[in-house]
Every structure is written in C-alpha cells, then in structure tokens.
Amino acid sequence: QVQLAESGGGLVQAGGSLRLSCYASGGTFSNYAMGWFRQAPGKEREFVAVINRLGSSTDSVSGRFTISRDYAKNTVYLQMNSLKPEDTAVYSCAARYTSNNELYTTEERYDYWGRGTQVTVSS
C-alpha cells in the first residue's frame, strides 16, 4: 500500500513560482508512474503532469510546470513557474504501479492518491 504526502503549497502572487513535493512510502518508488492533478473550486479534477519510471514526462500547462523525481528520496516534484490566478487549485499527486513506461494522463489509471495541497495565486 503506497502512501503519498504532498507539501509545498501556499499563497503566491501572479508571476511567481512554487515547488510542490510528494513523498511516497510503502512501495518501491521506481515501480510507479507518478502524476500531478489539480481541482479548482466548482471544477472537475484535471491532469497536470506525469513522469514515468524512466523519467520521461509530459504536461498540460504548456511548459510552465516541470515534473521531476528523485529516486533516492522517493519524491516527485512539480516546479511551477509563471503562475496565474487560474492555476489556483488543490494539487494532488497520484501513483500507478506499472511494468511499462506509459505516461498516464487520466485519473482513473492511478491506484493511489495523496490528500492534496492548496495552491492559491493572487492577481
């Protein structure tokens, strides 16, 4: 059973940066694809970024955000730059046990979820 714990959220002005962290415990980190999703008030949860077991990644935010992982620390990061008020949301990390190197972009493909961390971007 993998447990995920996010940190690093907070309040930031538009144009600023934040780095989110997600620590994974209870499993072999290298066996999991890791994703970030977000949910704004009144909206459905949406895909932000994913990184596979080999470190390849993709995102939905036109390169403003960068996902990375540190295998020694069992942690996945989301570096968020040039933040906009519309980036305000609860950001959650997710993990999927996998034997391949697919990049999973839909939430139903993930097995484990963290509780989320709030990111608020003021204008």
Side-chain angles (χ1 to χ4, degrees), residues 38 61-66 79-84 87:
R38 66 185 180 185
V61 288
S62 303
R64 292 187 296 120
F65 297 178
T66 302
Q79 177 66 44
M80 306 186 294
N81 299 326
S82 301
L83 283 161
K84 305 175 182 180
D87 294 318

Side-chain angles (χ1 to χ4, degrees), residues 37-74:
F37 290 76
R38 66 185 180 185
Q39 187 167 22
K43 295 186 177 181
E44 294 186 350
R45 186 156 55 186
E46 65 174 356
F47 165 75
V48 176
V50 59
I51 189 165
N52 68 11
R53 299 184 313 152
L54 297 181
S56 297
S57 64
T58 190
D59 66 75
S60 67
V61 288
S62 303
R64 292 187 296 120
F65 297 178
T66 302
I67 188 172
S68 60
R69 65 192 299 168
D70 186 330
Y71 295 93
K73 296 182 178 179
N74 283 10

